Amino acid sequence: MNIKKQFSSIKAKTLFYLIFFSVSILLILWFCQIVFLKYSYQDYQIQNMNRLASEIQRSSFVDLNNTLEEVAYENELCIEYHANSGNIYYYNTMMNGCALGKENQEIVKTEKSFIESDLQSDTYKVTNKEYEVKAFLYGVKLDSGSVFLYSTLEDVSGANAVLRKQLIYLTIIAIFFAIIIAYYLSRKITDPILDVTKKAQKLGSSPLVKFPNYGVSEVDELASVLTNAQTEMVKTDELRRDLMANVSHDLKTPLTMIKAYAEMVRDISYKDPKKKDEHCNIIMDEVDRLNVLVNDILTLSKMQANADEIHLEKFDLVKEIETIVKRYEIIKETENYHFVLDLPNEAIVLADQKKMNQVIYNLINNAINYTGNDKTVTIKVKKEKDSYLVQIIDTGKGIKKEDIAFIWDKYYKNDKNHQRNVVGTGLGLSIVKTILENHEFKYGVKSQKNKGTTFYFYVKTK
């Protein structure tokens, strides 16, 4: 199993593919040099004779003799010229292996066949039986007659043998160096990946893992992604611990109160109707706290899981705010809270009415919790282009600048500025944030020390 895993590793595969690539290049080189050498040589000869034939055709009749003589000696060819008058002229026939003018029947028949044909030029492969040498006979017709260029084909088998022997040694040496280079490159490429993999396996089970700069852009990008993931994991773990601590505390407190007052009703105050009603009311308030907590947790979970869809509809934002404010009549009467409404006659907006109700309710609830001694909460709605600006203002001690970035987090509570112990879970602002972001509405907070805090958001009209 370990051997199989080693062979399937990225290092082994990289090494194998690099060696395979190097060997393939060598085999192609070998094939081209050994197999195609003969054909390449013949093709070169034909192209050279085509070039010389063109040079001869461009020559004038007066200079033809000199041209044929120069071509023959400079290019180691023997040439035979058949004039229209019937005379035959030879050039460089003393060249070793030349078969022209020696009654070679194959060549004589070939020349006669070409002269009688309609071809202007053609190449023939002939054999010099005297030397058993292969040769090319190239015929070209002029106005004054026909010219035949004769070039022997050198035996390249000897050259092939030498090249083959050299290539064997070169191949062995090249493969050796290819293996070394491939091994080095495979380590250079795979070592950073393997290091990232090993460190990634430690994420979440050890202190913060640091990824160095590997010098490979893709690997460095992967390391950056893992570093960000590690940071988010730490935040999630901290959030999980805070969540458990806060939820357990928020659940434990009302449950303790419910149990205590239930025991008091059972054992003591059941005989005193006034005390019994007072204790039962406390139990009901604590049940309400539990209900709000559970509902807020479920609401936030749905929103963050994108299971709670947005249903856009047109409605009057002013009427919605006035309806919500009426819920607080009890604290206006019993605790002297004041609500200042600065609203237009009508504000038709396009949003999810139920969710905007949650936003406004949570922000007003937050303002009631933290407003100043004057117990005043101001709600303003102002038209701005294609949206309405909604502001909920309290007169409390404000929020520290360093804390503003965290107020939207789950379970954030500014306990020191707490004015009233109304029902709250610490999830209100997180729910507000999630709803507004799902709507793609702009939102924010402004706060001054000892001058209060303003929460604001925009609601689009279309």
Side-chain angles (χ1 to χ4, degrees):
M1 184 66 184
N2 290 335
I3 295 176
K4 185 178 180 181
K5 187 175 181 180
Q6 287 179 357
F7 278 106
S8 63
S9 67
I10 187 170
K11 182 179 287 187
K13 285 184 178 292
T14 305
L15 180 62
F16 170 77
Y17 288 129
L18 287 173
I19 293 174
F20 176 77
F21 174 76
S22 302
V23 172
S24 298
I25 295 296
L26 289 170
L27 289 175
I28 293 171
L29 178 63
W30 178 291
F31 188 76
C32 291
Q33 288 293 327
I34 303 302
V35 177
F36 287 111
L37 178 61
K38 179 180 178 181
Y39 300 102
S40 299
Y41 171 67
Q42 292 181 5
D43 184 63
Y44 166 76
Q45 287 287 68
I46 292 173
Q47 290 182 10
N48 187 51
M49 293 177 80
N50 280 328
R51 180 181 61 80
L52 296 174
S54 298
E55 185 179 334
I56 292 170
Q57 286 177 320
R58 289 194 300 269
S59 176
S60 64
F61 177 74
V62 177
D63 298 327
L64 180 61
N65 186 63
N66 292 332
T67 301
L68 292 175
E69 189 171 342
E70 287 177 7
V71 168
Y73 282 96
E74 288 179 3
N75 296 278
E76 295 184 358
L77 301 174
C78 55
I79 298 177
E80 185 176 331
Y81 172 49
H82 292 247
N84 290 335
S85 61
N87 294 330
I88 301 176
Y89 303 92
Y90 297 97
Y91 302 88
N92 199 26
T93 54
M94 298 304 293
M95 181 191 76
N96 186 30
C98 181
L100 298 180
K102 295 183 179 180
E103 301 299 326
N104 186 310
Q105 293 301 315
E106 181 185 0
I107 294 176
V108 172
K109 287 180 180 180
T110 302
E111 289 176 341
K112 184 178 179 183
S113 175
F114 173 74
I115 293 171
E116 293 175 352
S117 71
D118 295 329
L119 298 173
Q120 292 300 308
S121 64
D122 202 3
T123 304
Y124 303 93
K125 197 172 184 180
V126 296
T127 303
N128 186 341
K129 294 183 178 179
E130 182 180 355
Y131 297 101
E132 292 298 326
V133 174
K134 299 288 183 181
F136 276 133
L137 183 66
Y138 187 90
V140 57
K141 288 181 181 177
L142 307 176
D143 292 337
S144 59
S146 298
V147 176
F148 294 95
L149 309 177
Y150 180 90
S151 175
T152 58
L153 289 172
E154 300 293 341
D155 186 6
V156 295
S157 58
N160 257 342
V162 173
L163 282 174
R164 191 180 296 113
K165 190 173 182 179
Q166 288 181 343
L167 280 174
I168 290 173
Y169 293 119
L170 286 174
T171 300
I172 294 172
I173 295 170
I175 289 175
F176 174 74
F177 281 106
I179 291 173
I180 295 175
I181 294 171
Y183 179 75
Y184 171 76
L185 288 176
S186 70
R187 290 200 61 181
K188 190 73 175 175
I189 295 170
T190 59
D191 281 359
I193 299 175
L194 294 174
D195 186 58
V196 169
T197 303
K198 288 178 181 177
K199 290 184 176 179
Q201 290 171 347
K202 299 177 181 178
L203 293 179
S205 60
S206 62
L208 289 178
V209 178
K210 293 184 179 179
F211 295 93
N213 185 5
Y214 295 99
V216 181
S217 59
E218 289 82 359
V219 179
D220 288 339
E221 186 175 351
L222 175 60
S224 176
V225 170
L226 290 173
T227 300
N228 292 335
Q230 180 178 222
T231 304
E232 292 302 317
M233 286 169 64
V234 171
K235 288 181 180 178
T236 303
D237 190 52
E238 290 176 355
L239 179 60
R240 179 184 58 81
R241 289 196 296 267
D242 291 343
L243 178 66
M244 294 302 296
N246 282 283
V247 169
S248 61
H249 177 268
D250 283 348
L251 287 173
K252 186 177 180 181
T253 302
L255 286 173
T256 302
M257 296 284 286
I258 290 169
K259 182 181 179 182
Y261 280 95
E263 288 177 347
M264 288 178 69
V265 171
R266 183 192 66 186
D267 299 334
I268 302 172
S269 62
Y270 71 95
K271 294 179 180 180
D272 186 343
K274 186 178 179 181
K275 287 287 184 181
K276 182 179 72 172
D277 290 342
E278 182 183 341
H279 294 164
C280 286
N281 286 334
I282 293 173
I283 291 172
M284 291 173 65
D285 288 342
E286 294 303 320
V287 170
D288 286 340
R289 285 185 64 187
L290 281 175
N291 187 49
V292 171
L293 174 63
V294 172
N295 285 337
D296 280 356
I297 292 173
L298 290 175
T299 299
L300 191 60
S301 297
K302 279 184 181 180
M303 289 177 180
Q304 293 184 334
N306 295 322
D308 205 7
E309 295 181 357
I310 300 295
H311 300 285
L312 297 179
E313 55 187 318
K314 286 198 171 186
F315 63 94
D316 188 350
L317 186 62
V318 172
K319 286 185 178 180
E320 195 69 26
I321 292 172
E322 289 173 345
T323 302
I324 294 169
V325 171
K326 286 180 181 179
R327 299 180 192 175
Y328 296 94
E329 288 293 333
I330 186 68
I331 65 169
K332 287 170 64 178
E333 295 176 3
T334 59
E335 301 183 37
N336 296 320
Y337 272 82
H338 305 286
F339 290 89
V340 179
L341 302 181
D342 184 2
L343 310 173
N345 293 329
E346 185 182 67
I348 304 300
V349 296
L350 181 65
D352 189 311
Q353 186 172 355
K354 290 183 180 179
K355 290 181 174 54
M356 295 312 299
N357 185 294
Q358 284 181 289
V359 169
I360 296 165
Y361 175 78
N362 285 340
L363 289 178
I364 292 176
N365 204 48
N366 183 76
I368 292 170
N369 271 329
Y370 296 104
T371 195
N373 293 326
D374 60 1
K375 297 183 178 181
T376 300
V377 174
T378 303
I379 303 167
K380 293 182 179 181
V381 175
K382 181 182 177 183
K383 183 72 168 69
E384 290 194 3
K385 293 184 180 179
D386 59 347
S387 61
Y388 281 96
L389 171 63
V390 181
Q391 296 173 296
I392 290 90
I393 307 165
D394 66 55
T395 59
K397 295 181 180 179
I399 305 170
K400 294 179 181 178
K401 287 184 179 180
E402 58 268 26
D403 290 338
I404 287 179
F406 305 103
I407 62 172
W408 306 103
D409 293 345
K410 302 181 189 74
Y411 288 106
Y412 173 85
K413 288 184 180 180
N414 192 5
D415 291 327
K416 292 181 181 179
N417 295 343
H418 211 274
Q419 169 67 19
R420 179 180 182 273
N421 189 25
V422 299
V423 176
T425 63
L427 295 174
L429 292 181
S430 185
I431 291 173
V432 168
K433 172 189 175 184
T434 304
I435 291 174
L436 293 176
E437 287 183 350
N438 287 344
H439 276 81
E440 297 182 356
F441 290 166
K442 183 181 176 183
Y443 66 94
V445 59
K446 298 176 183 176
S447 186
Q448 289 184 340
K449 189 176 180 181
N450 297 322
K451 290 186 178 181
T453 302
T454 300
F455 283 87
Y456 67 89
F457 63 93
Y458 291 85
V459 187
K460 295 181 181 177
T461 58
K462 57 182 178 178

